[in-house]
Amino acid sequence: MSGISLAGVTKRYPGGVLAVKGVDIDIESGEFVTLVGPSGCGKTTTLRTIAGFETPTDGSIRIDGENVTDAPPYERDTGMVFQDFALFPHMTIHENIAYGMEAAGEYTDEEIDARVEEMLELVELPGVGDRTPDQLSGGQQQRIALARALAPRPKALLLDEPLASLDKQLREQMQVELRRIQQEIGITTVFVTHNQEEALTMSDRLAVMNDGKFEQVGPPEDVYNDPDSRFVADFLGTANIFDGSVTAIEDGYATVECADVTVQATAQNGVSTGDDVSVIVRPERIRFAGAAESDADAAANATVSASTNPSADGGTQPAPETVFEGEITFKRHLGSSVEFRVETDAGRELVVVRRSGLDERGPGDRVTVSIGATDCRIVEE
Amino acid sequence: MTNRPDTSSDAGTGTGTATTTDAATAASDTEASTAEPSSSGESGRAGLKSRAKWYALSYPLFWLVAVFFIPLCMLVVFSFWENIPGGRYRIGFTLENYARFLDIGFTSTWPFVEPGLYLGQLWLTVELALVTAGLSLLLGYPMAYYLARMNRPWLRSVLLITIISSLWVTYVIRAYAWQVILASGGILSSAGVALGLLDEPQSFYPGYWGLVAGMVYVFLPFMILTLYSSLRNLDGELLEASKNLGAGPAKTFRRVTLPLSKNGVMSGTALVFILALGSYVLPRLLGSSAQRTLPVLIEQQVMSESNYPFGAAMSIGLIVVVLVFLWVLIRVTNVTTASLGGTEEIATDGGSQPARSSAPGPLTRFRSGLGTAAATVGLTAAGSRLAAALDSVVTRIDANTRESIIWVTFRAYVAAVMVYVVLPLAIIIAVSFTPEEFLTFPPGGFSLQWYAEFFGTADWRNALLNSLTIAGAAALLSTTIGGGLAFALDRFDYRWGTIYGTLGVLPILLPPVIIGVAFLVFFLELEIGGFALAGSRLGIIIAHGIFYAPFPFILISQGLDEIDRTYEEAAMNLGASSFRTIRTITYPLIRANVVSGALFAFILSLNEYIIAWLLSLFLVQTIPIQIFNQLRYSYPPTIAAASVVFIFLTVVVMTAIDRLSGGIWE
């Protein structure tokens, strides 16, 4: 088994600041795990304890089954890609990529040369070996940094916001590229980002970090659709959040009293009457009453979540719905979908995302908005 | 012998190094701004790290404390010991040395007191330093202004390189050049006779004004460069804005340029004042016996009279003068450190580096002290009054004529200053090719015989070899001391870090004659224990190695400061051990700084006279010592040839530094 496991990893800085507060995770061999969270949440520190640049104050780290908690960085066999690439400016590309193998001292010159060529092929930049880093573009440097990290055949690949310094178009291209190469090699990968979109699109699993702890760990779809906490819902994607307390639970549906409205939601996470909870509704789960609810529309929603089941026409027991009256205040096109802002009569702003071309309505129009109880996620506050 | 301890300390620190710096970067990365990264006690390898931390510091500290600070303290102790006429001394406690130094006579007429010989000469020393600083400012300001504002980069770099190159040539050669100019058969008197101004050839040295001319010549480059860097930072748009608002050139200068360059004026004046105060060679070679300054008297006591306790007492006196000067500056002028932040001295002022790294320490205060000299001298006021007078005169002429008159006058002035800077060394070069037996100018032909003589004489060859050996070894030593200290302070946090940093730049701030005397008494004491360092090349190497360690220290600190730590992390991540990381990543990235630092130390040691002379005990000859000695008795043109060889060496090394650093002078 070659993977990474962290057990109770804690990092306290000499000044007393607790950057990481006991995180646990078992990363499978070949798995791509993303640590995502706002800046200052401890994700980078966690990655650096894996790389060996930080020694945890408490807890242990295993790579490939071996306890490396106190091992120096150069005995850990990890390959890291840094945010600003850190290509050695006084060396050629070839020398950069060969550096790790030369440090290992186990390879002949021929093996090293062959491996460097192989790596350049892998990142689709053959023939740049004689250049220096400053002769390459940002995207090319990024690829070389990846090639350099992978050349000594590390047990794990560590990526510290490697896409942050690239422009948007290049970043999207590199997301695909990075994932392709990772899957081709099948290397265990830990990726750190503050970009939720990257986290959602690239990973096998993601770990949402906040204030030095993992808030939720799971596959992107699960974390997105079924956030475990208000923080996760808010951080990943857009969420309409109703904070209130549970006044009743009937037939598996909870009634949540908020300051302005009362929401019906499927009872989950063991909530009981009297609990303070947050009800989370993703924008694409909200419907406009009376709008053409075509098959295409249903299909569009279904791609986001298979569990959505409006059962508008003749289901055995229709789920309760929460209905608001309001006015569209803002509308913008997002390409394949349209985002609306609706201000309810009670004064709450809702974000609604609909497939493009279904609604002619625009700012100033009155709408009736409905939220199905099954489209809600309820978490304890 | 000097390399080994340093490398081993480097290797030993590696592991700890990484963790410390990482903690620092990570803390800022996670925006844990309240964290005090890497101060102490990190779990895990804390024990190893704290040991590595002290290993790293022990080497530079050994030199700076045991071999530098202790001699300075011994100087104080020595000054209370009793002298036994005949070159010996006795441990004891006497105030006799100070009494002799501070002797004051009483008279019946006003002002009723008459300073004794030594106090009188002390005042002369201060006066000379003030006159030198004042004249340097008057000559240097227009020059620096022109350099900063001119539009032709190539000409600027030619002028700068010329000024800078002359800066490093040993005082001995430059004083010699002035002897050639001022002597009775020299250029000045020949020209005077030819023009009918003088009836017969006349010597202008030794004498007060000849000495002043030489002193100003020697210290002017420091002034120009300091002013230049301050004027260079001045935004050109500000000047245009002033003109646009209707201010004439004189008014713009008075209201905008001058106030904004105040810091440069102060730093430059203070720097020249302190350098002139400690100057030995020029007063000795260009002054008469009436112009024996304190450094000359100190040397005389030590070398001629062998009265070490009295020499030590006078050295303490000189240090006190420097300290009082600084204290008065800080008190009287009340200039804040911040207002001086804009000035950056070139290499000669060691203060900038450690001052930057922390809260205002003693050095920062020192720098601010340096900067405020001008105010005491009242030069700023004088300068602006002059400008005001000029302004009222020129406003009466119409604008265009005025501009062109100013411009032409200005250029002529600059050209004259440039001639003043360049001519002396040019004359030496010309003289070295004379076919005649005596120093004559202009030379009556062309001959290489004096070069043949230089390279053919065992004494000269030996001196050259000594000079190169000492400079080479001293450069290595100062690079290991300065580099070791820079590395330790960069990688670890020490409780007294600022003090260690100050210690790293302190040597260069003291007058060299004091350093020489301090080392001499130290070495003489060591001799009792069996280490014969006085009168040996090794002794000079050690003294130079420590005295010039501030240059590599400052340059290497700067290099380490600018390195992106991620490169080192990347290397370690790729499996490179700490030592391999330093060898393949850290060192190559700061190589230019290391080599420049070493070359600076090399060139300074090569050209140093007074410390080498005091420590030579007549047993070691270097080129400056050899030239100096020859100047005392005869003037064979071989001296000129030796000087030219030396100037050539200096220019080559300076060019190398310039190449390496990609234009360090800008």
Side-chain angles (χ1 to χ4, degrees):
Chain A
M1 63 149 222
S2 91
I4 301 171
S5 71
L6 308 186
V9 170
T10 302
K11 177 68 189 177
R12 180 190 293 276
Y13 284 115
V17 171
L18 208 50
V20 180
K21 301 174 180 170
V23 299
D24 302 277
I25 191 171
D26 284 310
I27 299 167
E28 301 284 315
S29 175
E31 196 180 13
F32 191 117
V33 170
T34 301
L35 306 183
V36 65
S39 58
C41 71
K43 57 188 190 301
T44 296
T45 308
T46 308
L47 188 76
R48 292 170 61 86
T49 58
I50 301 175
F53 299 136
E54 308 280 356
T55 312
T57 325
D58 209 353
S60 70
I61 298 165
R62 286 170 183 279
I63 296 175
D64 211 0
E66 187 190 342
N67 188 338
V68 295
T69 315
D70 286 317
Y74 43 86
E75 285 168 12
R76 294 198 180 201
D77 254 347
T78 61
M80 183 141 167
V81 177
F82 294 84
Q83 184 168 351
D84 41 13
F85 318 138
L87 296 180
F88 306 132
H90 57 299
M91 297 182 188
T92 63
I93 298 305
H94 184 284
E95 287 165 341
N96 263 282
I97 298 175
Y99 189 88
M101 282 179 290
E102 277 166 5
E106 299 161 357
Y107 301 87
T108 64
D109 288 353
E110 291 75 30
E111 282 171 332
I112 291 175
D113 290 346
R115 180 71 176 163
V116 170
E117 288 312 311
E118 188 190 331
M119 285 295 114
L120 287 173
E121 294 284 339
L122 180 73
V123 298
E124 293 171 345
L125 281 173
V128 301
D130 291 334
R131 296 199 212 160
T132 52
D134 58 6
Q135 292 171 317
L136 301 184
S137 70
Q140 289 172 324
Q141 290 186 21
Q142 159 77 68
R143 287 159 191 257
I144 298 303
L146 184 63
R148 182 179 70 177
L150 291 173
R153 299 186 175 86
K155 291 174 186 158
L157 181 61
L158 308 176
L159 307 165
D160 183 10
E161 306 234 16
L163 306 177
S165 56
L166 304 178
D167 65 46
K168 191 175 186 310
Q169 207 177 355
L170 201 53
R171 193 163 61 226
E172 279 164 11
Q173 192 189 327
M174 282 309 299
Q175 286 173 7
V176 176
E177 188 74 349
L178 202 58
R179 187 67 165 133
R180 173 187 71 79
I181 292 170
Q182 187 265 336
Q183 283 172 338
E184 198 173 313
I185 303 175
I187 188 170
T188 312
T189 302
V190 183
F191 178 69
V192 159
T193 183
H194 64 272
N195 182 323
Q196 40 119 345
E197 182 208 324
E198 266 170 32
L200 287 169
T201 54
M202 294 176 72
S203 354
D204 291 321
R205 271 197 298 161
L206 53 84
V208 183
M209 270 192 98
N210 183 34
D211 195 23
K213 287 183 298 233
F214 286 161
E215 290 267 340
Q216 187 171 3
V217 181
E221 311 85 73
D222 291 3
V223 179
Y224 182 81
N225 288 322
D226 300 320
D228 278 348
S229 68
R230 192 182 194 284
F231 173 83
V232 173
D234 207 22
F235 185 76
L236 286 182
T238 316
N240 296 291
I241 300 176
F242 301 85
D243 296 321
S245 56
V246 179
T247 53
I249 296 183
E250 271 176 57
D251 299 335
Y253 296 109
T255 306
V256 178
E257 283 279 348
C258 306
D260 52 343
V261 289
T262 303
V263 185
Q264 298 273 316
T266 311
Q268 289 159 311
N269 294 335
V271 294
S272 53
T273 309
D275 287 351
D276 284 335
V277 296
S278 297
V279 176
I280 296 150
V281 191
R282 292 293 182 192
E284 53 296 328
R285 301 287 193 91
I286 301 182
R287 279 165 293 135
F288 287 160
E293 212 60 55
S294 69
D295 289 329
D297 187 25
N301 280 338
T303 56
V304 178
S305 167
S307 69
T308 306
N309 185 12
S311 57
D313 39 11
T316 45
Q317 199 181 9
E321 288 196 342
T322 311
V323 177
F324 300 96
E325 295 293 328
E327 185 183 313
I328 297 174
T329 56
F330 174 79
K331 177 183 184 179
R332 65 171 175 154
H333 291 276
L334 302 175
S336 60
S337 59
V338 185
E339 180 190 300
F340 296 91
R341 301 276 162 138
V342 176
E343 191 177 325
T344 67
D345 293 344
R348 176 188 287 270
E349 188 182 63
L350 296 174
V351 182
V352 181
V353 172
R354 309 275 296 156
R355 223 190 64 161
S356 269
L358 285 179
D359 279 293
E360 297 301 318
R361 281 174 281 200
D365 291 342
R366 301 276 312 166
V367 281
T368 305
V369 169
S370 71
I371 299 170
T374 51
D375 291 325
C376 297
R377 173 83 177 164
I378 188 166
V379 294
E380 286 198 64
E381 210 169 308
Chain B
M1 64 120 208
T2 52
N3 259 330
R4 204 156 35 85
D6 191 49
T7 12
S8 67
S9 75
D10 279 1
T13 59
T15 322
T17 296
T19 4
T20 324
T21 52
D22 299 339
T25 30
S28 59
D29 180 54
T30 50
E31 290 171 11
S33 53
T34 49
E36 294 163 30
S38 65
S39 59
S40 64
E42 198 175 317
S43 79
R45 281 163 286 149
L48 175 71
K49 211 177 71 187
S50 62
R51 252 181 293 135
K53 170 172 160 171
W54 294 109
Y55 286 147
L57 191 63
S58 61
Y59 173 76
L61 222 53
F62 163 75
W63 288 103
L64 292 170
V65 172
V67 194
F68 173 67
F69 201 67
I70 290 179
L72 280 184
C73 296
M74 279 180 57
L75 201 58
V76 178
V77 176
F78 241 81
S79 68
F80 293 106
W81 287 3
E82 290 166 38
N83 180 54
I84 305 167
R88 301 207 340 268
Y89 48 84
R90 182 169 57 221
I91 296 175
F93 182 83
T94 174
L95 292 173
E96 196 188 308
N97 302 312
Y98 285 99
R100 185 175 169 196
F101 179 52
L102 299 172
D103 179 41
I104 294 175
F106 294 94
T107 57
S108 53
T109 54
W110 200 86
F112 306 115
V113 289
E114 188 186 14
L117 169 69
Y118 294 104
L119 272 188
Q121 295 311 105
L122 173 62
W123 168 245
L124 174 87
T125 312
V126 173
E127 181 198 306
L128 256 177
L130 286 176
V131 169
T132 304
L135 287 176
S136 300
L137 181 62
L138 284 181
L139 290 179
Y141 199 103
M143 186 73 215
Y145 184 85
Y146 179 73
L147 282 171
R149 290 268 91 82
M150 69 193 301
N151 291 324
R152 282 169 290 180
W154 66 268
L155 183 57
R156 173 164 49 224
S157 42
V158 166
L159 293 179
L160 275 176
I161 296 267
T162 311
I163 293 168
I164 289 159
S165 297
S166 77
L167 185 73
W168 306 103
V169 175
T170 175
Y171 295 152
V172 175
I173 293 177
R174 291 197 284 166
Y176 161 54
W178 277 92
Q179 291 190 343
V180 173
I181 294 172
L182 299 171
S184 70
I187 304 155
L188 206 58
S189 95
S190 310
V193 172
L195 293 171
L197 295 171
L198 293 174
D199 294 335
E200 53 185 44
Q202 184 191 333
S203 176
F204 295 92
Y205 98 96
Y208 188 84
W209 291 106
L211 172 56
V212 168
M215 297 267 278
V216 173
Y217 161 71
V218 159
F219 297 117
L220 184 61
F222 291 96
M223 178 67 84
I224 294 177
L225 293 174
T226 311
L227 290 172
Y228 169 76
S229 58
S230 126
L231 286 167
R232 190 83 177 118
N233 291 340
L234 213 140
D235 191 351
E237 278 179 24
L238 277 178
L239 305 182
E240 280 168 16
S242 168
K243 281 185 186 140
N244 178 257
L245 292 167
K251 190 165 187 176
T252 303
F253 177 76
R254 199 175 78 237
R255 300 292 297 275
V256 182
T257 313
L258 198 61
L260 287 175
S261 60
K262 201 175 73 188
N263 294 338
V265 169
M266 289 172 172
S267 312
T269 314
L271 182 64
V272 170
F273 176 77
I274 288 190
L275 286 172
L277 205 61
S279 167
Y280 165 81
V281 172
L282 290 143
R284 178 71 182 71
L285 287 179
L286 294 176
S288 69
S289 60
Q291 281 102 39
R292 280 178 304 172
T293 60
L294 212 50
V296 176
L297 293 170
I298 292 172
E299 189 269 350
Q300 213 169 35
Q301 284 303 323
V302 171
M303 294 303 273
S304 311
E305 312 287 325
S306 296
N307 188 343
Y308 301 112
F310 187 47
M314 281 199 285
S315 301
I316 302 298
L318 189 55
I319 293 181
V320 169
V321 170
V322 172
L323 292 179
V324 166
F325 168 72
L326 294 176
W327 184 80
V328 167
L329 280 183
I330 294 161
R331 276 294 148 128
V332 170
T333 55
N334 195 24
V335 164
T336 61
T337 324
S339 73
L340 281 161
T343 30
E344 28 174 288
E345 287 77 25
I346 296 181
T348 43
D349 175 12
S352 59
Q353 185 58 29
R356 196 169 45 149
S357 61
S358 59
L363 255 154
T364 328
R365 265 188 282 123
F366 178 80
R367 257 164 63 79
S368 71
L370 270 187
T372 48
T376 347
V377 186
L379 279 164
T380 320
S384 60
R385 241 179 285 132
L386 199 77
L390 201 74
D391 200 19
S392 65
V393 172
V394 292
T395 34
R396 281 182 230 134
I397 319 169
D398 85 281
N400 277 337
T401 327
R402 196 191 340 159
E403 288 256 350
S404 60
I405 287 176
I406 290 175
W407 194 231
V408 167
T409 321
F410 186 54
R411 285 191 153 187
Y413 190 83
V414 165
V417 172
M418 212 51 213
V419 166
Y420 178 59
V421 170
V422 172
L423 198 63
L425 291 184
I427 289 170
I428 293 293
I429 294 170
V431 165
S432 74
F433 294 108
T434 184
E436 287 151 50
E437 287 293 319
F438 305 99
L439 270 184
T440 45
F441 191 88
F446 181 84
S447 147
L448 289 175
Q449 59 169 313
W450 301 113
Y451 288 91
E453 167 106 16
F454 173 77
F455 287 107
T457 312
D459 270 3
W460 282 110
R461 276 205 317 266
N462 185 36
L464 182 63
L465 190 67
N466 276 343
S467 275
L468 291 173
T469 313
I470 290 170
L476 270 180
L477 179 60
S478 27
T479 309
T480 59
I481 297 172
L485 187 64
F487 186 83
L489 292 181
D490 183 69
R491 296 308 163 101
F492 304 103
D493 275 335
Y494 297 97
R495 197 157 163 214
W496 308 108
T498 325
I499 292 180
Y500 301 139
T502 310
L503 211 55
V505 291
L506 188 66
I508 202 68
L509 298 176
L510 292 176
V513 68
I514 292 173
I515 305 273
V517 174
F519 273 111
L520 183 59
V521 296
F522 179 60
F523 288 163
L524 287 175
E525 285 302 296
L526 280 185
E527 217 154 89
I528 298 164
F531 300 95
L533 285 171
S536 75
R537 287 190 293 187
L538 186 57
I540 302 175
I541 289 168
I542 291 173
H544 279 182
I546 292 173
F547 188 54
Y548 294 121
F551 290 87
F553 171 65
I554 290 164
L555 284 165
I556 294 170
S557 295
Q558 215 170 1
L560 286 169
D561 210 42
E562 283 164 7
I563 282 194
D564 185 347
R565 285 300 160 71
T566 324
Y567 293 132
E568 293 170 348
E569 288 184 354
M572 285 201 243
N573 177 258
L574 290 166
S577 64
S578 308
F579 182 67
R580 192 188 180 93
T581 304
I582 288 171
R583 188 170 57 82
T584 58
I585 306 296
T586 319
Y587 175 69
L589 289 177
I590 60 165
R591 181 162 42 212
N593 295 59
V594 175
V595 177
S596 307
L599 287 177
F600 266 120
F602 177 82
I603 205 150
L604 286 160
S605 164
L606 199 65
N607 284 290
E608 205 282 331
Y609 169 74
I610 185 64
I611 295 177
W613 166 244
L614 286 169
L615 295 178
S616 73
L617 290 181
F618 310 102
L619 297 171
V620 182
Q621 298 286 331
T622 65
I623 292 278
I625 292 176
Q626 182 86 354
I627 294 177
F628 193 100
N629 288 345
Q630 300 251 349
L631 285 178
R632 288 177 161 181
Y633 311 113
S634 61
Y635 290 83
T638 327
I639 307 176
S643 303
V644 173
V645 170
F646 230 59
I647 294 169
F648 178 74
L649 262 175
T650 305
V651 172
V652 166
V653 176
M654 289 317 293
T655 315
I657 296 176
D658 191 48
R659 280 287 156 79
L660 262 172
S661 54
I664 200 167
W665 314 122
E666 289 293 317

